[in-house]
């Protein structure tokens, strides 16, 4: 039992000695602190002036088409309501013809809505890619001028001390104001 306790104490001392030696060796490495930054890309895409301008352009470009689709949907609903109201007095052939027309108009409307959504998504992706490219250039510039060792995006947690999102947004806004 005494030998077991002695071996345990010896092992503990060996581990402590190895840990001390490792800390002594790593001390010079720790003296040079890493400069780390974090960018919240979601905030950049939401708050930067170029992102807001892109959103405004997209809304302006797509609002008329969206209104036209909504108007077409309202007309289709009105025609469907009218058919339902008139159905008891219509001849079977006329009722079938109008139902086919409504089905065809509904298919056309659904196709136009899909095309609209695809166009909107494509445009959103293009605008987002352009903003991300500009933001990455700004981040690289900050990285180089302020001598960062590492800049991260989209992390789980980051403290305010390393958050440089506001710097990135300000630089993007300044660049957008200069254009």
């Amino acid at each position: 039992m005494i030998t077991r306790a002695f071996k345990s104490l010896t092992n503990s001392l060996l581990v402590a000695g190895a840990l001390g030696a490792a800390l002594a060796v790593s001390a010079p490495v720790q003296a040079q602190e890493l400069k780390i930054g974090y960018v919240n890309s979601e905030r950049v895409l939401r708050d930067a002036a170029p992102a807001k301008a892109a959103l405004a352009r997209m809304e302006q470009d797509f609002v008329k088409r969206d209104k036209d689709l909504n108007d077409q949907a309202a007309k289709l609903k009105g025609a469907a309501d009218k058919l339902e109201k008139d159905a008891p007095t219509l001849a079977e052939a006329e009722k079938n013809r109008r139902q086919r027309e409504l089905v065809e108009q509904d298919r056309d409307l659904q196709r136009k809505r899909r095309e609209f959504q695809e166009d909107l998504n494509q445009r959103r992706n293009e605008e987002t890619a352009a903003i991300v490219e500009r933001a990455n250039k700004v981040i690289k510039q900050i990285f180089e001028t302020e001598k960062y060792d590492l800049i991260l995006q989209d992390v789980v947690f980051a403290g305010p001390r390393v958050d440089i999102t506001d710097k990135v947004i300000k630089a993007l806004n300044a660049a957008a104001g200069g254009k």
Side-chain angles (χ1 to χ4, degrees):
M1 198 182 293
I2 294 177
T3 56
R4 226 185 274 164
F6 180 72
K7 284 183 182 179
S8 177
L9 179 62
T10 305
N11 286 341
S12 295
L13 290 175
L14 287 174
V15 169
L19 184 60
L23 289 174
V25 169
S26 67
V29 173
Q30 289 178 352
Q32 181 182 4
E33 191 171 315
L34 292 176
K35 187 169 183 180
I36 298 174
Y38 158 70
V39 177
N40 182 332
S41 55
E42 183 180 316
R43 263 190 58 217
V44 170
L45 291 172
R46 184 186 65 228
D47 297 345
K52 290 178 181 179
L55 182 61
R57 281 191 310 272
M58 283 178 42
E59 285 177 358
Q60 183 179 13
D61 291 348
F62 285 91
V63 71
K64 183 185 180 319
R65 230 169 115 186
D66 187 44
K67 184 185 178 316
D68 290 345
L69 288 172
N70 289 332
D71 290 347
Q72 188 176 351
K75 286 179 187 175
L76 184 61
K77 182 174 179 353
D81 291 344
K82 183 170 176 20
L83 174 62
E84 188 177 322
K85 179 183 158 195
D86 296 346
T89 61
L90 290 175
E92 195 64 31
E94 177 65 14
K95 186 166 66 170
N96 289 338
R97 184 189 67 75
R98 286 172 65 177
Q99 284 176 337
R100 279 192 306 273
E101 284 178 2
L102 286 174
V103 167
E104 193 174 308
Q105 289 173 2
D106 186 54
R107 282 185 191 140
D108 184 51
L109 177 62
Q110 297 307 319
R111 179 186 52 78
K112 287 180 180 179
R113 283 190 189 272
R114 279 191 305 276
E115 289 173 357
F116 173 80
Q117 195 61 47
E118 288 170 3
D119 291 347
L120 181 63
N121 288 340
Q122 180 179 355
R123 176 73 179 279
R124 182 182 301 124
N125 290 341
E126 290 168 357
E127 294 287 351
T128 300
I131 294 164
V132 166
E133 183 179 332
R134 290 167 67 183
N136 284 340
K137 287 179 183 176
V138 166
I139 293 168
K140 184 176 181 191
Q141 184 179 18
I142 291 170
F143 176 84
E144 291 170 350
T145 58
E146 296 186 21
K147 307 231 184 301
Y148 277 87
D149 295 307
L150 178 68
I151 295 181
L152 303 168
Q153 290 180 320
D154 303 323
V155 298
V156 176
F157 298 105
R161 188 173 61 86
V162 297
D163 191 346
I164 63 169
T165 305
D166 288 332
K167 281 184 189 180
V168 173
I169 291 172
K170 285 177 187 170
L172 279 170
N173 292 350
K179 289 188 177 182

